[in-house]
Amino acid sequence: MDTRPVHYRSLVETAEALRTGETSARALTETMLERIGTLDPGYHSYFHVCTERALAKADAADAALRDGRCLGPLHGMPIAVKDLCRTDFAPTTAGMGINAGLMSETNATVVDRLEAAGAVILGKIAMTEGAYTGHHPNVSVPVNPLSRDHWVGTSSSGSGVATAAGFCFASLGSDTGGSIRYPSATCGLSGLKPTWGRVSRHGVFDLAPTLDHVGPMTRSAADCAATLQVIAGHDPKDPTSLDVPVPDYMSGLGRGVRDLRIGVDRDYAFDGVEASVAAALEAAIAQFERLGARIVEITLPPYEELVAEWVMMCAVETAYVHRETYPARAAEYGPDLSNLIDQGLAATGVQVARGNILRVTFSQALETMFEGIDCMLCPTMPTPTPTLAQMAGYGADPEVLNAILRYTAPFDFSGSPTLTLPNGLDGQGMPTSMQIVGPMLSEAVILRAGAAYQNATDWHCRHPDLG
């Protein structure tokens, strides 16, 4: 029996309790709304809370269940969406002062899919300005519920805080250079960056369109699978979405990892990595071996030059996205985003060509590497969760930025799916984490591997004591 408070329980298990009548969508939604109202003023995870609408949606979900209609694995479950997902029922600012009060006439496709599956959207989650590294100066920065002195990651900062603090059962984040994975790592969550094109980006505010991914941030791999099941799939409104079938992600979670080929590039995974992160990854590798997986030595294609180009490549796309308001309204932008756009405007065609060539070369070599394995393991960051002091101004420091991009940016460039999982604690009791990375459209495999690891460990069951 799960003895955790209801707000920290698994989405999948709680959804089952709802279907069997042990709880109700109304009760779950009231619990979350009460916690948000009482505790979130100290953590700043929500930008906008849809109290009355959420309660009405919860009542509708309960009524549907009484009529014998269950709309899917998220039916009646209170979740939240990042403030870059457009909604017709709440403002969408993408963390930007320039968009204050902006209302959309339509919803992002992911929002419509969540609601069609019976999910109860509690509200919009706070984020960095434009989904880059820094929050707008007028925004209250989300606070890590595990430690106020530690970084919470960007840009899905509020999504990490709300999910870890028990202010929702899951949330949607986005990832351009690591923004699902960093907050998942720093808050002890399970976060999935799907294959690029697996989830529609229609109605989602762009940072850098060819790098942007939308995915779930949850408390377990199984919860990621349930959420992906709902939001994945082709969308005619997004011509970049992949027109391929969506598998049943939930059905394979219990298959285990026996004979699964898991690659490890020991130079990539361990060189220059802090001791507690390395030890946690070694322990995870040993755990997978005990579960029957085959660990395969691999060599990741050269990635260093590509990672060094991430800022420039992100910048040129961001400059294009903001061309109608920047530099015309530059004074309304915060420093991090405006500096990024300035870099994009200053980039030359030769620089962009070089970045694209490096990207295509790496991506093709990576897919070739995956022909011999099913997935690979590596850290999410080379250090444990850094302190706020250590990360002050990191967006303007190329050395610091390139160091943390080492394990994230390559897979934004390639579009490969990755699952971030907690796998230990550092000396200060903060979580360490790892990624399971797979070839294109291998979400079922990496979720299965993540679920097997979490069935054998309890790192994902540790939660902040907020009262």
Side-chain angles (χ1 to χ4, degrees), residues 23 135 145 251 286 296 302 327 378-379 453 460:
T23 186
H135 295 82
S251 66
V296 180
C378 65
Y453 176 77
H460 63 295

Side-chain angles (χ1 to χ4, degrees), residues 265-289:
D265 179 336
R266 299 197 69 84
D267 289 339
Y268 179 61
F270 293 102
D271 283 2
V273 173
E274 198 273 341
S276 64
V277 175
L281 186 61
E282 289 280 22
I285 292 170
Q287 180 65 67
F288 276 115
E289 285 189 300

Side-chain angles (χ1 to χ4, degrees), residues 138-161:
N138 296 337
V139 171
S140 297
V141 177
V143 176
N144 193 322
L146 299 176
S147 167
R148 291 181 173 273
D149 296 327
H150 284 77
W151 191 51
V152 76
T154 56
S155 67
S156 307
S157 50
S159 299
V161 174

Side-chain angles (χ1 to χ4, degrees), residues 113 198 228-234 242-249:
R113 287 181 174 174
R198 176 79 282 186
L228 183 65
Q229 195 71 58
V230 168
I231 63 174
H234 178 61
L242 300 175
D243 191 2
V244 292
V246 177
D248 184 346
Y249 296 115

Side-chain angles (χ1 to χ4, degrees), residues 48-67:
H48 182 90
V49 181
C50 304
T51 302
E52 295 305 319
R53 186 178 188 276
L55 290 170
K57 290 289 185 179
D59 288 341
D62 286 332
L65 287 176
R66 287 194 295 271
D67 290 341

Side-chain angles (χ1 to χ4, degrees), residues 349-406:
V350 171
Q351 288 176 306
V352 176
R354 180 176 186 273
N356 278 323
I357 291 168
L358 288 169
R359 179 180 188 175
V360 171
T361 302
F362 172 82
S363 300
Q364 184 59 53
L366 185 69
E367 282 299 296
T368 300
M369 183 202 78
F370 274 124
E371 291 175 2
I373 56 173
D374 299 298
C375 58
M376 63 171 281
L377 288 181
C378 65
T380 309
M381 300 189 297
T383 66
T385 304
T387 64
L388 291 174
Q390 289 171 320
M391 296 304 289
Y394 85 101
D397 187 332
E399 288 190 12
V400 175
L401 192 54
N402 284 347
I404 66 166
L405 287 169
R406 172 183 178 183

Side-chain angles (χ1 to χ4, degrees), residues 196-287:
W196 191 81
R198 176 79 282 186
V199 174
S200 171
R201 292 180 295 107
H202 170 73
V204 177
F205 189 92
D206 293 321
L207 172 59
T210 74
L211 296 169
D212 293 345
H213 303 67
V214 177
M217 298 171 64
T218 71
R219 293 193 282 271
S220 72
D223 292 354
C224 278
T227 309
L228 183 65
Q229 195 71 58
V230 168
I231 63 174
H234 178 61
D235 175 17
K237 296 177 182 178
D238 176 4
T240 68
S241 67
L242 300 175
D243 191 2
V244 292
V246 177
D248 184 346
Y249 296 115
M250 301 292 292
S251 66
L253 293 181
R255 290 178 54 195
V257 293
R258 182 161 300 281
D259 295 326
L260 200 71
R261 300 166 301 168
I262 300 179
V264 177
D265 179 336
R266 299 197 69 84
D267 289 339
Y268 179 61
F270 293 102
D271 283 2
V273 173
E274 198 273 341
S276 64
V277 175
L281 186 61
E282 289 280 22
I285 292 170
Q287 180 65 67

